[in-house]
Amino acid sequence: MNEIEKELRKCEQALYDMQSKYSGLASKAANARYVYDQAWAEAINEIAHRAVVDGKKPPTVAASEAEATLAVADEMREARYAEADLDAAKKHLDTLQAILSSVQTRARLIQIEASLGGLHP
C-alpha cells in the first residue's frame, strides 16, 4: 500500500502542477488570438480603404483576405502555436486525471482485497 500512496502523491502533484500551468497557457493563447484578430482586422481595413488606381478593379474579398493574412503571418503563427500549446496541455491534464483515477482504483482494490483477506483465515 505504501507504493500506491507514493504513486497517488506523485500523480496528485503532477496534476496540481499542470493545472497551475494550464491557466497561464489559456491566458497566453487568448491574448495571442486577440493580437492576431486585431492585426488581421486592421490589415483588412487598410486594404479595403486603399485607393484604387484608375482603370483597376478593387481586390476581391478573397484577394484582400489573402493579402491581410500574409501581412499578419507572424501574429497568426504565434496564435496557432499558443493554441497548440493549450491543446497539448489539455490532453496532458486529461491523461494525468486518467492516471490518477487508475491509481485510486488500484488503491481501493488493494483495500478491498486486504479487508477480504482479513475475514478469511
Side-chain angles (χ1 to χ4, degrees):
M1 191 65 173
N2 195 20
E3 180 184 321
I4 294 289
E5 289 174 7
K6 286 180 185 177
E7 279 188 68
L8 278 170
R9 281 193 293 274
K10 182 180 174 184
C11 289
E12 288 168 344
Q13 185 61 48
L15 187 58
Y16 175 79
D17 292 345
M18 195 62 216
Q19 285 173 327
S20 297
K21 184 179 177 184
Y22 188 81
S23 64
L25 291 171
S27 179
K28 181 180 177 184
N31 185 62
R33 183 59 195 227
Y34 167 78
V35 168
Y36 165 63
D37 288 346
Q38 185 72 27
W40 195 82
E42 288 172 2
I44 285 289
N45 190 45
E46 182 180 315
I47 293 164
H49 292 95
R50 188 168 49 205
V52 178
V53 178
D54 286 338
K56 283 190 100 181
K57 293 182 180 179
T60 63
V61 171
S64 295
E65 289 177 351
E67 185 179 341
T69 299
L70 291 172
V72 298
D74 291 340
E75 291 88 346
M76 182 177 67
R77 181 177 47 256
E78 290 304 313
R80 298 274 168 86
Y81 284 153
E83 289 166 356
D85 286 344
L86 184 62
D87 288 345
K90 175 66 173 127
K91 286 183 171 113
H92 191 183
L93 259 177
D94 291 344
T95 300
L96 288 171
Q97 288 171 332
I99 291 169
L100 179 60
S101 179
S102 173
V103 174
Q104 289 169 332
T105 299
R106 283 179 29 220
R108 280 192 298 274
L109 289 174
I110 289 171
Q111 287 175 336
I112 291 169
E113 286 176 359
S115 70
L116 292 176
L119 294 176
H120 300 295

